[in-house]
Amino acid sequence: MTAELLNHRKTRTTALVIAGSVGLLYFFTAARDIVVGDSPELIMVAVKLGVAHAPGYPLFTMLGHLFSLLPLGSVPFRLNLFASACDALAVAFVYLTALRLCRSQPAAILAALVLATNSLFWSWSLAAEVFPLNNLLASVLIYLLVRWHEKPEQTAPFIAAAFVAGLGLTNHQTIILLAPACLYLLWRNRTVLLAQPRILFIGAAAFALALSPYAYVPWASAQ
């Protein structure tokens, strides 16, 4: 499979079809009301623009609030759909990443669908929680890093990856577990980075900017 095919419209269309199909599956199986766990708290916080338990989950709260405004079903169902949408998109990015790594479209589609229908992954896609958003941000981060590693002279994927990594930390800190892989890729491509040190500074600035949702926490607490 050539690099041209990887960027072909058909590939993007397939990713959209996968996201739409999985999203439809999750839509019909999503919880229609609150469920046990942190879900009731997270729903209330998103609706009222409050502050959840530490570390506050500001990104989830703000994006969840937008979903709470949808004119569709009950408020808990709207927030549950937020989780479903995040994991459906995460599956699509897993497909795109697998396609770049294995160069086989059937294998990439199979990998994405196996993840989507895994019982544990599926069940966590049906109720309002911070994990689906974490899955989405982690899958986007890995996809961007793979793209950058293929062509390290292209700086846009690197800067975008730095921004997504920062956003990930404003949702769930377990995304830090990807740090060893990130550092490895930085080391592998150190020649390119040292030749253009401004890329590192821009990436650091993008990462810092992505942490700005944490400013929401003291603001909301003061209300």
Side-chain angles (χ1 to χ4, degrees):
M1 182 176 292
T2 63
E4 288 76 17
L5 182 56
L6 291 174
N7 297 314
H8 197 271
R9 181 180 299 177
K10 182 179 178 181
T11 299
R12 296 192 293 270
T13 301
T14 303
L16 290 175
V17 170
I18 290 174
S21 301
V22 173
L24 197 61
L25 173 65
Y26 292 167
F27 174 85
F28 285 113
T29 55
R32 264 47 186 178
D33 209 330
I34 59 174
V35 297
V36 296
D38 293 335
S39 181
E41 176 201 357
L42 293 171
I43 291 174
M44 180 185 68
V45 165
V47 172
K48 298 296 185 180
L49 285 178
V51 180
H53 62 274
Y57 307 110
L59 186 62
F60 174 91
T61 300
M62 291 186 286
L63 294 178
H65 181 73
L66 296 179
F67 267 78
S68 73
L69 302 177
L70 293 175
L72 181 65
S74 65
V75 171
F77 178 57
R78 300 171 195 173
L79 271 295
N80 295 339
L81 287 184
F82 177 36
S84 298
C86 287
D87 267 345
L89 289 173
V91 169
F93 275 99
V94 167
Y95 157 74
L96 291 172
T97 303
L99 182 60
R100 287 181 173 272
L101 293 175
C102 70
R103 301 294 197 271
S104 169
Q105 193 165 61
I109 293 174
L110 179 62
L113 295 181
V114 166
L115 173 65
T117 55
N118 174 273
S119 59
L120 184 61
F121 187 89
W122 189 348
S123 62
W124 281 106
S125 305
L126 307 181
E129 256 293 359
V130 296
F131 307 121
L133 181 56
N134 186 59
N135 294 338
L136 173 59
L137 293 170
S139 63
V140 173
L141 176 58
I142 293 172
Y143 170 72
L144 290 170
L145 288 173
V146 169
R147 282 193 56 184
W148 175 64
H149 183 60
E150 289 177 346
K151 295 182 178 180
E153 67 279 0
Q154 295 183 355
T155 60
F158 173 78
I159 296 170
F163 184 79
V164 172
L167 281 181
L169 288 174
T170 67
N171 177 63
H172 203 281
Q173 286 65 45
T174 54
I175 201 168
I176 198 70
L177 295 174
L178 293 177
C182 296
L183 293 174
Y184 173 73
L185 288 182
L186 289 175
W187 175 255
R188 283 287 303 271
N189 298 291
R190 62 188 181 280
T191 303
V192 175
L193 294 174
L194 292 175
Q196 303 181 65
R198 68 181 185 88
I199 299 176
L200 285 173
F201 289 108
I202 296 174
F207 179 83
L209 178 63
L211 296 175
S212 59
Y214 271 120
Y216 162 85
V217 175
W219 173 84
S221 299
Q223 304 307 306

